Amino acid sequence: MASNKKYWKSVEELNEDSAIVKTLQENEFVTEIPTDEFLGNKEALESSSTTRRDFLKYVGFTTAAATLAACEGPVVKSIPYVVLPDEIVPGVANYYASTMADGFDFANILVKTREGRPIKIERNDLAENGGSVNARVHASVLSLYDKNRLTNPMLDGAEATWLEFDTAVAQKMNEMAGKDIVLLTQTFASPSTSKLISEFTAKYPNIRHVVYDTVSCSGALDAFQNKYGTRALPDYDFSKAEVIVSVGADFLGDWQGGSYSKGYAQGRIPKNGKISRHVQFEANMTLSGGKADKRVPATPSQQIQVLKALTGGSTSGLPEHIADAATKAKAQLQKAGSKGLLITGLSDVESQTLALNFNASNNSAAMDVNKPLLTRQSSATEVMSVVNGVISGSIKGLITVGVNPVYSLPNAKEFAEAYKNLEMTLAFAMKQDETASMAKMVAATPHYLESWGDAQIKKGTYSLTQPTIRPLFNTRQFQDSLLQWTGNTQNYYDYIKENWTNSMLSGGSWNQALHDGFISSDVEMTMEEVKPAAGVLEDATSHGALSSFLQEGGYELTLYTSTGLGDGQQANNPWLQEFPDPLTRASWDNYLTISAADAEALGLENTHVSNGALNGSYVTIKMGNVAVEKVPVIIQPGQAKGSVGLALGYGKTAAIQKEMQTGVNAYPLYQNFSSIQKVNIEKTSGEHEFACVQLQSTMAGRSNDIIKETTLEVFNTRNKEHFNAVPVTDYDHSPLSVRDEKADIWSPFDTTVGPHFNLSIDLNSCTGCGACVIACHAENNVPVVGKEEVRKFRDMHWLRIDRYYSAGETFKEEIDTLENLPAFDSYKAVEVPAYENPEVAFQPVMCQHCNHAPCETVCPVAATSHGRQGQNQMAYNRCVGTRYCANNCPYKVRRFNWFLYSENDEFDYNMNNDLGRMVLNPDVVVRSRGVMEKCSMCIQITQKTILDAKRDGRAIKDGEFHTACSRACDTGAMTFGDVNDKDSEILKLKNDDRMYHLLENVGTKPNVFYQMIVKNTSEA
């Protein structure tokens, strides 16, 4: 049954006559190799001294590949320590608990350091309420080593000492006495910072503090504050919800700070015959929509009507299919009672209040209002009053901390002109961004990995931030500056420790809190918040910016933050720039997503060139006096007709390396801090070249047994041979299971001695978030290759997350349609209509570490071989770059180093400067040109676990073994372990009814296996 479903990555695959798709299915390497550059030079060949190894490169096996094979790496001499620090043991990693709180992402983390260098971010498993350690949090360690960081404070564009800086600030403060100055900061969610700001504004009463969240949750905050009196956001535990209905809320993405994927995944694993039911109404295709049991495309204006219908209103005016879906969803919510949950991403106070009241009246077990989230604090009304005050001239001075209003405000151009005329402009910034480059005084601030701090992510849980490296530059924390300017002789570390000792710790140990990274405490800390007052909070009857949607005309734009760049703070991070979007599979860009019907009406196109690379049309987006030009277009399956989508956070230029000045700035469209707007779209000339990998790695055109799925009803009522059949082969004219020993022509490896590693990937739990991809980058020194090379399908990701589309809202619907097709019709008759609303599946794919690996048999120099513990190993020094292994791999997971990516000006990313190379993991070699590489199943981590246990004289416990990807997975979709441990979780998963191997009919016997998808399609 699972094998009958057709999956596709791109609409190009629906064209049965596509020469591009056929070429990609037949050829692993789509770019011709420039052999003439070397072999065509007769003089160079005659004068060369050829060794046996070089001879193999040139003529032994695939002459073409030889021209690009690696030269021997240079010898770099190391300088030993003169005096070895006590806490550093060469070759042994240290881990420190800390907290990331940059105003957009909040997370409790562990920081891995080597020889005093932070090199990797991991989850702090002790912290249950620790936020989401997403792709951006994992990548934040690389932002520490950004070569564009400020190295000193600056006065009027020139570097200064801190003494000179403090003197200038004190003088300016005295001059500004009695004049209105605003301290505009990010959300700190920090009790110590809040206390310190209060002391600072008490000393300088003409300074008032205003919080500015670049991506606002003001409507939700106002709704919660109106109802409960606290400026916060309700927390949600999706594991306690049996029915989840989301109206425009991408809760698996960045909605209200994210961090909901773990609870959601727990409810999606079939237990006792049950999984949660998830219905999603949305305009853009999102991660949440991709995971939903039922996804209903609906424009924002339709979403407003849907939300009202769900909370007691009428479905009148809605299209029939949306009205029907809303009626059924409402019935399911009512049936679920306290096990139901309704959420919305509509940004107005009225919509947020409707959802809040609905959950409160049902006593929803999934909503927590007693211990809410404190990670957003901004008031859109208050921020706009500051902006208007700067423009009008009533505000005379502006101090910015952790925010970049000249870039991110909707009316940034007008604001920037007024900003120049302010009497006092002081920016606390890590880089000379758009705001700092215009400020008269710039205080260089450290990265959070160089800083002390605290945070209250969720009420009742307090977290600590501690430095894991000495400041790389002459920087100073914002809080230390406030202490200096208020005359307090303490440093910020002492200030935090005293604050905690006198309050949150309640007699507990400071060292223990620092060790764990957090404490749970019911001690109430006074936190600054917006007080309910006329003109500050919108009331529950306010439609806000959404009232314009009652008008006709134009397209409905939904602004969102991408999984990679978020609000744009880390735009200079090459790991995030090269991270493929989970849905479009495009990197190095933002773009307008549009439905196929609307694209056709506007004459917009996506085309594929001969090697499969994607091109697209340009448009101009107009909204009143605002116009954003040259916006590339991606035609997105599942986009609601009449709606479009565009990601914020791109288009930055100040303090951004040229290669990473990507995309267009969408913040000018973010009027009234509302994520949905009415816009007009016009096609413009030109064609954009995307770095999109959606047609890459086609697995030789195979489609059967890549994704397997079934319904909860079938899973509960039929045996696994029905919904998860094992492929069969022919043996002696009879069908034989491919798992049978008789189907095997290989001599088996002895897997009984020592550990034998397997990796389980649960497709029900995987949300496609990509945290594993960035963690793999960090752990294994995976190089960044840039937009042009990605466009040629030469990305070096060891781990990719394939995204597949399929047809049919239910399994039965598609199977029935396929079985009843006329004789000369094909699956295309089913797939093309489904382009309007396809089903989505995410599948992480890395080296499958086959026990019968086809790559091993074809390597002429035995560079790839099978390890005793089950890993498929690579000896880089032996590899001569024939690429036979990549051609013979059915999973297309091996990567070839076409170039030297380290210390090469052609690839000017983190590996091309001394500062950026500090992030490299010394346990993993940096590969050179001409070498084949791929997932090693993090052999350096597994070997350390074995050696640690051996040193301690103990057995290894289940759960100790992990890889970078399994360690990074918030949802628990990836489980790694030793199948020789008879009590291990990995062995239980291997024997589970949902287990299957990718392309099992090929007979490679992988050590990676998958748990098939089970969807709850019942609407009763």
Side-chain angles (χ1 to χ4, degrees):
M1 188 172 184
S3 301
N4 291 333
K5 197 167 187 180
K6 173 68 183 178
Y7 296 88
W8 43 282
K9 291 184 179 180
S10 166
V11 69
E12 184 72 17
E13 294 181 68
L14 301 183
N15 180 2
E16 293 181 320
D17 300 321
S18 173
I20 293 170
V21 172
K22 290 179 180 178
T23 299
L24 290 171
Q25 289 177 356
E26 294 167 2
N27 298 319
E28 160 66 13
F29 302 103
V30 295
T31 306
E32 291 294 326
I33 307 167
T35 55
D36 289 341
E37 291 181 14
F38 182 80
L39 297 182
N41 188 334
K42 184 177 180 182
E43 294 180 2
L45 283 176
E46 288 178 348
S47 62
S48 67
S49 176
T50 306
T51 64
R52 177 179 176 277
R53 186 169 186 268
D54 289 333
F55 180 76
L56 283 175
K57 290 181 188 178
Y58 298 149
V59 296
F61 304 93
T62 42
T63 304
T67 65
L68 297 177
C71 299
E72 302 301 330
V75 175
V76 179
K77 295 183 179 179
S78 299
I79 302 173
Y81 285 107
V82 178
V83 179
L84 182 66
D86 292 338
E87 68 275 14
I88 292 178
V89 178
V92 177
N94 289 333
Y95 289 83
Y96 299 92
S98 192
T99 305
M100 178 180 177
D102 67 0
F104 189 73
D105 290 306
F106 291 80
N108 290 129
I109 58 174
L110 290 180
V111 185
K112 179 182 179 181
T113 68
R114 282 294 303 271
E115 286 72 58
R117 295 177 296 113
I119 63 170
K120 191 168 182 287
I121 303 298
E122 295 185 353
R123 287 182 295 117
N124 184 350
D125 288 331
L126 290 176
E128 294 182 359
N129 301 313
S132 174
V133 186
N134 57 32
R136 295 185 297 271
V137 176
H138 280 283
S140 64
V141 66
L142 182 57
S143 296
L144 168 66
Y145 303 114
D146 188 341
K147 67 179 182 179
N148 285 20
R149 285 181 55 189
L150 283 167
T151 57
N152 287 285
M154 302 185 73
L155 292 171
D156 295 320
E159 291 188 354
T161 65
W162 281 109
L163 179 60
E164 293 169 338
F165 189 84
D166 291 336
T167 302
V169 170
Q171 182 180 342
K172 181 58 73 173
M173 290 283 199
N174 291 331
E175 292 174 5
M176 300 290 291
K179 296 180 181 179
D180 191 10
I181 301 175
V182 171
L183 174 62
L184 190 68
T185 76
Q186 66 177 63
T187 293
F188 286 108
S190 165
S192 296
T193 302
S194 185
K195 180 172 180 282
L196 186 51
I197 289 174
S198 297
E199 293 169 359
F200 177 66
T201 53
K203 180 171 181 178
Y204 298 98
N206 61 318
I207 297 178
R208 56 191 172 96
H209 179 213
V210 176
V211 178
Y212 168 40
D213 293 326
T214 303
V215 180
S216 178
C217 288
S218 184
L221 290 163
D222 286 355
F224 192 89
Q225 191 167 358
N226 282 329
K227 187 172 181 64
Y228 297 105
T230 302
R231 192 157 189 82
L233 296 170
D235 194 15
Y236 300 96
D237 184 350
F238 283 81
S239 67
K240 296 178 180 178
E242 292 181 359
V243 176
I244 302 161
V245 179
S246 169
V247 183
D250 183 17
F251 59 89
L252 297 180
D254 294 330
W255 176 74
Q256 295 190 6
S259 79
Y260 303 114
S261 55
K262 182 178 180 180
Y264 174 80
Q266 290 173 1
R268 301 294 291 172
I269 305 300
K271 292 177 183 175
N272 302 319
K274 290 184 177 182
I275 59 174
S276 61
R277 165 77 170 162
H278 173 194
V279 181
Q280 185 87 7
F281 297 88
E282 64 181 13
N284 296 351
M285 175 69 82
T286 66
L287 293 179
S288 303
K291 294 300 295 182
D293 295 306
K294 183 178 182 66
R295 178 182 181 272
V296 184
T299 63
S301 57
Q302 291 169 342
Q303 290 171 32
I304 297 170
Q305 293 176 274
V306 167
L307 184 63
K308 290 179 179 178
L310 290 170
T311 54
S314 167
T315 59
S316 175
L318 285 170
E320 184 179 348
H321 69 285
I322 298 179
D324 179 63
T327 301
K328 290 177 178 176
K330 180 180 179 180
Q332 288 187 308
L333 280 170
Q334 290 173 337
K335 183 179 177 181
S338 64
K339 297 291 186 180
L341 178 63
L342 173 65
I343 57 174
T344 182
L346 297 169
S347 53
D348 64 309
V349 180
E350 182 194 25
S351 297
Q352 292 292 331
T353 302
L354 285 174
L356 202 61
N357 289 341
F358 180 88
N359 294 322
S361 63
N362 285 349
N363 294 314
S364 176
M367 186 174 79
D368 182 0
V369 296
N370 296 316
K371 292 187 176 180
L373 297 174
L374 303 172
T375 52
R376 299 289 186 271
Q377 290 289 304
S378 177
S379 164
T381 308
E382 203 174 10
V383 173
M384 284 310 300
S385 72
V386 172
V387 174
N388 293 332
V390 170
I391 293 172
S392 69
S394 62
I395 292 174
K396 304 300 182 183
L398 188 65
I399 304 172
T400 56
V401 187
V403 293
N404 185 7
V406 173
Y407 160 71
S408 61
L409 283 174
N411 54 345
K413 286 185 178 179
E414 188 181 4
F415 177 83
E417 289 300 317
Y419 185 78
K420 293 177 185 176
N421 299 323
L422 290 175
E423 294 180 36
M424 176 183 180
T425 52
L426 167 57
F428 285 85
M430 272 183 60
K431 293 183 290 187
Q432 202 162 2
D433 57 26
E434 286 82 354
T435 303
S437 61
M438 296 177 63
K440 298 178 178 114
M441 296 180 283
V442 182
T445 56
H447 190 269
Y448 80 93
L449 292 173
E450 303 167 308
S451 307
W452 285 101
D454 62 0
Q456 189 178 13
I457 297 174
K458 179 179 167 72
K459 189 175 180 182
T461 303
Y462 297 92
S463 307
L464 282 168
T465 299
Q466 64 173 316
T468 56
I469 188 173
R470 291 179 66 88
L472 297 172
F473 305 113
N474 184 23
T475 56
R476 189 172 74 187
Q477 285 185 244
F478 160 67
Q479 294 88 347
D480 276 317
S481 292
L482 290 196
L483 287 167
Q484 179 83 17
W485 300 341
T486 54
N488 193 325
T489 58
Q490 286 181 304
N491 58 34
Y492 191 45
Y493 164 76
D494 292 330
Y495 188 89
I496 293 174
K497 186 175 180 180
E498 181 182 282
N499 198 26
W500 276 55
T501 302
N502 295 337
S503 53
M504 288 90 83
L505 287 178
S506 301
S509 167
W510 163 259
N511 287 340
Q512 186 64 47
L514 195 58
H515 172 272
D516 295 344
F518 75 101
I519 61 166
S520 296
S521 173
D522 291 327
V523 172
E524 292 282 347
M525 287 297 296
T526 303
M527 299 277 282
E528 279 190 306
E529 65 177 41
V530 177
K531 302 294 188 297
V536 176
L537 297 185
E538 292 188 55
D539 63 34
T541 61
S542 169
H543 290 272
L546 299 192
S547 58
S548 63
F549 281 86
L550 300 176
Q551 305 166 9
E552 293 294 325
Y555 289 87
E556 299 182 20
L557 168 68
T558 301
L559 296 164
Y560 65 97
T561 52
S562 71
T563 308
L565 284 200
D567 65 348
Q569 288 187 57
Q570 296 191 70
N572 209 45
N573 191 313
W575 288 353
L576 294 175
Q577 288 278 7
E578 193 149 297
F579 172 73
D581 183 85
L583 287 157
T584 64
R585 307 294 289 131
S587 58
W588 294 98
D589 258 317
N590 67 338
Y591 32 77
L592 189 78
T593 57
I594 192 168
S595 70
D598 290 333
E600 185 177 0
L602 291 168
L604 305 175
E605 294 181 324
N606 280 157
T607 57
H608 292 275
V609 297
S610 59
N611 73 340
L614 182 70
N615 291 352
S617 303
Y618 282 115
V619 296
T620 296
I621 304 174
K622 294 183 177 180
M623 186 179 67
N625 296 325
V626 177
V628 180
E629 299 178 342
K630 301 294 282 187
V631 183
V633 170
I634 281 186
I635 301 171
Q636 175 62 51
Q639 183 79 34
K641 186 178 179 181
S643 74
V644 290
L646 183 62
L648 299 163
Y650 287 81
K652 297 187 79 170
T653 55
I656 301 291
Q657 197 172 318
K658 183 179 179 181
E659 290 85 350
M660 284 170 274
Q661 294 178 14
T662 59
V664 297
N665 185 1
Y667 281 110
L669 301 169
Y670 194 41
Q671 297 295 319
N672 300 311
F673 302 104
S674 174
S675 59
I676 55 180
Q677 304 286 343
K678 268 287 180 69
V679 298
N680 292 307
I681 298 169
E682 296 177 2
K683 181 180 179 180
T684 56
S685 61
E687 190 174 49
H688 186 77
E689 295 184 346
F690 289 102
C692 183
V693 295
Q694 66 181 359
L695 274 182
Q696 185 183 8
S697 307
T698 61
M699 299 196 193
R702 299 176 176 94
S703 60
N704 291 348
D705 299 326
I706 292 180
I707 300 286
K708 283 192 176 186
E709 64 176 299
T710 189
T711 66
L712 182 62
E713 179 186 6
V714 172
F715 182 76
N716 286 337
T717 59
R718 306 294 293 269
N719 58 38
K720 69 176 181 180
E721 285 73 21
H722 176 78
F723 61 78
N724 190 14
V726 178
V728 296
T729 187
D730 184 75
Y731 180 82
D732 198 16
H733 305 292
S734 299
L736 181 71
S737 168
V738 295
R739 296 180 188 175
D740 194 291
E741 291 181 2
K742 295 177 182 177
D744 199 349
I745 62 172
W746 288 59
S747 298
F749 289 99
D750 180 8
T751 62
T752 60
V753 179
H756 187 76
F757 297 120
N758 274 202
L759 175 64
S760 170
I761 302 174
D762 194 326
L763 300 185
N764 250 39
S765 300
C766 176
T767 62
C769 72
C772 54
V773 175
I774 301 298
C776 179
H777 256 286
E779 177 66 33
N780 294 298
N781 301 334
V782 176
V784 172
V785 300
K787 182 175 181 177
E788 288 304 314
E789 291 301 297
V790 173
R791 184 170 163 80
K792 296 174 182 175
F793 297 160
R794 291 177 177 174
D795 68 283
M796 296 300 294
H797 294 105
W798 283 13
L799 164 61
R800 69 176 192 265
I801 302 181
D802 288 337
R803 180 268 299 125
Y804 291 96
Y805 296 130
S806 62
E809 288 195 359
T810 67
F811 223 62
K812 185 177 185 302
E813 176 186 326
E814 185 185 10
I815 298 302
D816 288 348
T817 308
L818 285 169
E819 289 177 349
N820 294 315
L821 281 177
F824 295 100
D825 279 6
S826 67
Y827 73 88
K828 187 175 179 180
V830 178
E831 301 300 329
V832 171
Y835 190 77
E836 295 181 4
N837 187 25
E839 299 234 307
V840 181
F842 300 107
Q843 183 177 54
V845 180
M846 66 293 288
C847 174
Q848 302 291 290
H849 295 273
C850 309
N851 287 307
H852 296 165
C855 56
E856 295 170 12
T857 57
V858 294
C859 181
V861 292
T864 182
S865 58
H866 205 71
R868 188 173 199 124
Q869 297 166 351
Q871 293 118 323
N872 174 256
Q873 299 175 344
M874 278 294 305
Y876 298 130
N877 253 18
R878 295 186 65 88
C879 179
V880 296
T882 66
R883 300 175 302 149
Y884 276 23
C885 54
N887 279 312
N888 218 38
C889 172
Y891 307 104
K892 302 306 168 198
V893 289
R894 304 177 78 89
R895 301 286 177 259
F896 183 66
N897 281 265
W898 291 89
F899 302 96
L900 176 66
Y901 299 115
S902 176
E903 300 181 67
N904 183 346
D905 290 342
E906 295 296 319
F907 300 92
D908 191 16
Y909 306 108
N910 64 291
M911 288 191 185
N912 195 43
N913 61 83
D914 291 338
L915 187 62
R917 282 193 295 274
M918 287 179 69
V919 82
L920 296 177
N921 182 1
D923 292 333
V924 180
V925 67
V926 176
R927 285 74 63 188
S928 189
R929 180 185 179 194
V931 170
M932 188 65 71
E933 61 180 73
K934 50 90 196 174
C935 163
S936 68
M937 212 175 261
C938 291
I939 191 170
Q940 70 279 5
I941 298 178
T942 56
Q943 291 307 109
K944 182 183 184 303
T945 303
I946 293 169
L947 291 172
D948 286 349
K950 188 175 182 179
R951 178 198 60 202
D952 298 340
R954 59 175 176 81
I956 297 172
K957 299 176 183 177
D958 184 37
E960 280 193 75
F961 285 121
H962 66 268
T963 57
C965 56
S966 68
R967 186 79 178 81
C969 186
D970 260 345
T971 65
M974 292 183 175
T975 304
F976 181 78
D978 174 16
V979 291
N980 284 344
D981 180 354
K982 302 307 177 188
D983 297 320
S984 65
E985 180 66 21
I986 191 72
L987 187 59
K988 294 176 185 175
L989 290 168
K990 191 168 187 177
N991 294 326
D992 191 88
D993 285 351
R994 292 194 295 133
M995 190 280 291
Y996 76 98
H997 289 291
L998 187 58
L999 301 180
E1000 190 168 10
N1001 58 319
V1002 179
T1004 55
K1005 299 199 180 306
N1007 283 318
V1008 177
F1009 57 85
Y1010 295 82
Q1011 308 292 326
M1012 68 184 295
I1013 298 171
V1014 178
K1015 287 202 169 185
N1016 186 351
T1017 57
S1018 171
E1019 296 192 327

